[in-house]
Amino acid sequence: MGISHGVLQSSYRLGTLTLWRDWSERLTATAESSDVADHDLAEAMRIMTDRIFTYQDFAMGLVSTSFTDHEQSLRRTGEQLRLGLVRDLIAGNDSVHPADSFMTLQYDLSINHVCGLFPGVANAVAAQVAQRVRGALPSVSTLVARLDAATVGVWFGRPKQWRPAQVAELVEQLMRCGVTVSLGDPGAGTEGFRSSYRDATRAQAVRRVWQKPPAVLRYSEVSLESMLVDDLETAEKFVAKELGELAEDTPAARRLRETLLASFSAGSHVATAEMINVHEHTVRNRLARIEEILGGTLATRRIELQVALRIKRLLDTSG
């Protein structure tokens, strides 16, 4: 009806007061013309007042219940429309136009998006996270939608492009919230809304097999691993073939793997030593030991070894 519950209650109270005043005036006039005693008039007033306000309580109870049921029905309908539209969008329904969807979603599809998937959280928790992010990053708008029984999706949108610095700020805010979330890469417009969701689902698939994943897991950090999680048997065979003894679940092998992966990332013995907090000579000795185990120079197998090390890190059950 477009009328709030409070206004509706006020109108009923005003109507009841008007009715009581009219009846009181009529009752008083009748009592005076009929020479009714004061105590009889007072008793009649009491009975009349009791009847009027008893009816008001009854009527307001019915109206309040009906109003609440209607409001909940509208909210459910609105939420169903939102969820249906979100599912159409991520399914690739190109008939959805950003301008037409804004009233339903209260979110602009034409801007730049980062999708986050929150496993195992209540809608209210995801909504609180979205609110905190909006408070910390004023240019960001959000869309919260429960995608299935186990996952809530939150899209973080901003009018301008998501540059690395802005994504880093978003990640920092999510880490401060203490939540578990898998993030897709940024994307623009309706297609970016979908592509970021697809990225987030791939990151979520990696999370499910990773023994100790970070709380905030970005697809850009595990895009390589995401290509292999659907065939873990092949991935494990590849690791065993490339790493040999380095794939063993021993403290010594783990130290060597850590050193080799850091060396590929850092690019020098000095930087590697700083990264893993050991002496430069220790790095040299470990790399020499790795070449001895693998039976050749590291440079000739750099790509294969990096891939194998990242997969082993993903599958490692020993810490």
Side-chain angles (χ1 to χ4, degrees):
M1 293 186 297
I3 303 173
S4 71
H5 199 182
V7 170
L8 188 63
Q9 288 181 319
S10 296
S11 67
Y12 262 81
R13 284 194 293 268
L14 180 60
T16 302
L17 178 60
T18 302
L19 177 65
W20 183 87
R21 285 174 175 171
D22 181 66
W23 280 27
S24 295
E25 291 173 359
R26 290 174 181 269
L27 185 60
T28 300
T30 299
E32 290 176 351
S33 63
S34 303
D35 196 25
V36 175
D38 289 345
H39 68 274
D40 290 332
L41 174 60
E43 179 64 12
M45 283 283 192
R46 185 191 66 77
I47 294 173
M48 179 196 71
T49 300
D50 182 69
R51 296 286 174 82
I52 288 176
F53 284 99
T54 297
Y55 171 76
Q56 182 203 23
D57 289 342
F58 171 74
M60 280 303 301
L62 290 178
V63 170
S64 294
T65 300
S66 176
F67 190 93
T68 300
D69 290 345
H70 181 64
E71 285 285 286
Q72 290 178 346
S73 176
L74 288 176
R75 281 197 293 270
R76 284 194 298 269
T77 302
E79 183 63 20
Q80 289 168 354
L81 287 173
R82 288 177 69 253
L83 290 178
L85 182 53
V86 168
R87 286 167 182 159
D88 282 346
L89 285 165
I90 60 181
N93 185 348
D94 292 327
S95 65
V96 180
H97 192 276
D100 298 332
S101 64
F102 182 79
M103 289 301 294
T104 301
L105 297 177
Q106 292 296 296
Y107 180 82
D108 187 356
L109 292 176
S110 68
I111 59 177
N112 299 273
H113 318 280
V114 171
C115 176
L117 297 181
F118 294 73
V121 302
N123 288 32
V125 173
Q128 289 174 356
V129 171
Q131 183 179 16
R132 289 185 61 176
V133 170
R134 291 196 305 271
L137 307 175
S139 65
V140 172
S141 56
T142 57
L143 169 64
V144 180
R146 175 160 290 283
L147 303 177
D148 55 48
T151 309
V152 177
V154 180
W155 280 262
F156 303 93
R158 65 190 308 268
K160 296 183 179 180
Q161 182 179 356
W162 281 96
R163 300 193 180 277
Q166 282 84 48
V167 176
E169 289 179 2
L170 174 61
V171 170
E172 181 180 353
Q173 292 303 320
L174 292 172
M175 292 178 66
R176 288 180 179 179
C177 291
V179 292
T180 297
V181 55
S182 301
L183 287 181
D185 285 349
T190 303
E191 180 52 39
F193 183 92
R194 284 193 286 261
S195 67
S196 189
Y197 165 76
R198 289 194 295 266
D199 290 345
T201 60
R202 295 185 187 107
Q204 187 75 344
V206 173
R207 177 184 297 281
R208 284 193 286 268
V209 299
W210 197 340
Q211 298 298 321
K212 295 182 180 180
V216 180
L217 182 63
R218 297 172 57 185
Y219 172 70
S220 60
E221 298 171 339
V222 293
S223 56
L224 173 64
E225 290 86 343
S226 73
M227 294 188 293
L228 299 164
V229 293
D230 291 332
D231 191 355
L232 294 179
E233 182 179 354
T234 299
E236 290 171 348
K237 288 180 179 178
F238 175 78
V239 169
K241 174 179 175 293
E242 292 298 326
L243 298 184
E245 293 180 29
L246 290 181
E248 294 177 357
D249 290 329
T250 64
R254 286 196 297 274
R255 286 193 295 269
L256 293 178
R257 291 197 300 270
E258 177 192 32
T259 303
L260 182 55
L261 191 57
S263 175
F264 286 145
S265 299
S268 72
H269 294 162
V270 174
T272 302
E274 292 179 354
M275 182 180 294
I276 61 176
N277 196 29
V278 297
H279 195 276
E280 179 185 351
H281 293 311
T282 302
V283 172
R284 291 181 184 276
N285 292 336
R286 288 182 183 177
L287 293 178
R289 173 59 180 152
I290 290 170
E291 288 188 336
E292 180 183 335
I293 291 173
L294 297 178
T297 60
L298 302 177
T300 59
R301 298 172 57 193
R302 180 185 179 97
I303 295 176
E304 293 87 346
L305 290 172
Q306 276 188 294
V307 173
L309 287 167
R310 289 179 61 172
I311 296 172
K312 178 59 180 174
R313 180 183 63 180
L314 181 71
L315 304 175
D316 195 358
T317 61
S318 55

